[in-house]
Amino acid sequence: MGITYRRVLLKLSGEALMGELNYGIDPAVVHSIAQEITDVVAEGIQTAIVVGGGNIFRGIKGAAAGMDRATADYIGMIATVMNAMTLQDALEQNGVPTRVQTAIEMQEVAEPYIRRRAIRHLEKGRVVIFGAGSGNPFFTTDTTAALRAAEINAEVVFKATKVDGIYDSDPKVNPNARRYQSLTYGHVLSHNLRVMDGTAIALCKDNNIPIIVFDLSGKGNIKRALLGEPIGTIVGGSCEVS
Ligand code: UDP
């Protein structure tokens, strides 16, 4: 038996919605992610989601190509709104009431971010998807996930990635690499482990919010993780290898 969470925050990168494509959104992948979230919500877990935009646009790439960084970041934030609306559509097709709240106002398509309203939606069993990141350039959606988790009093941040946890060295290079079952925030920061950016880790550390890093690609993993099965690596405990 795992832990039963009451309120969780799931961070999905934009790339998670891309599947095997090189760009954009794969509707079949979105549908399958939405199905797992639907099953989690059916168990009464209050679920908030922060979605990235890397499948469409990343500010840092725009800046590397000569764009003004802040402008590029705003474009990146707007990209996340497309992903948020796509996920909302898929969840609502499954009959799950869902609200998108954006940190940059776009009231024709979504609610503005209002913390107390987000909490109310969650209490009513609605999924809340936070779009447009934090609303500030030079930040990431990982940091947004940590920020929103703290604001809505989520018990945990789930970071869905392409690897099944955090290793002591690169498992693709080193066949003897060992996977951590749990890690301290300090270890992640001091070893510069690329789980989430440092700002996100520091924010979770300050607010005592554990981060569970797990592999999104395994079918059923989102459901397993959010329903509290031990999976991936937990940041926020002691350092233990599995
Ligand atoms: N972004 C930003 N401020 C935020 C969140 C996101 O400026 O608070 C921009 C930034 O340009 C980033 C892009 O939005 O590259 C997409 O988000 P991110 O790269 O975090 O998405 P992911 O890697 O999760 O797909």
Side-chain angles (χ1 to χ4, degrees), residues 113-209:
Y113 173 61
I114 299 172
R115 172 179 170 262
R116 295 173 70 106
R117 200 161 171 188
I119 291 171
R120 190 80 192 109
H121 289 320
L122 291 166
E123 286 169 351
K124 287 185 172 172
R126 296 172 184 147
V127 170
V128 179
I129 306 173
F130 297 115
S134 65
N136 302 297
F138 304 102
F139 286 85
T140 64
T141 51
D142 279 356
T143 300
T144 308
L147 173 67
R148 295 291 185 245
E151 288 188 88
I152 63 168
N153 303 316
E155 294 154 279
V156 55
V157 171
F158 286 100
K159 158 96 177 170
T161 65
K162 286 181 177 163
V163 282
D164 64 351
I166 306 172
Y167 286 79
D168 59 358
S169 58
D170 187 347
K172 282 186 203 136
V173 180
N174 177 7
N176 298 320
R178 292 183 309 167
R179 183 160 65 95
Y180 286 106
Q181 199 177 334
S182 67
L183 270 177
T184 61
Y185 302 106
H187 188 96
V188 174
L189 287 170
S190 62
H191 290 73
N192 203 14
L193 299 178
R194 306 212 162 272
V195 191
M196 276 181 142
D197 57 272
T199 315
I201 303 284
L203 209 48
C204 284
K205 178 173 187 274
D206 287 350
N207 294 287
N208 260 319
I209 303 170

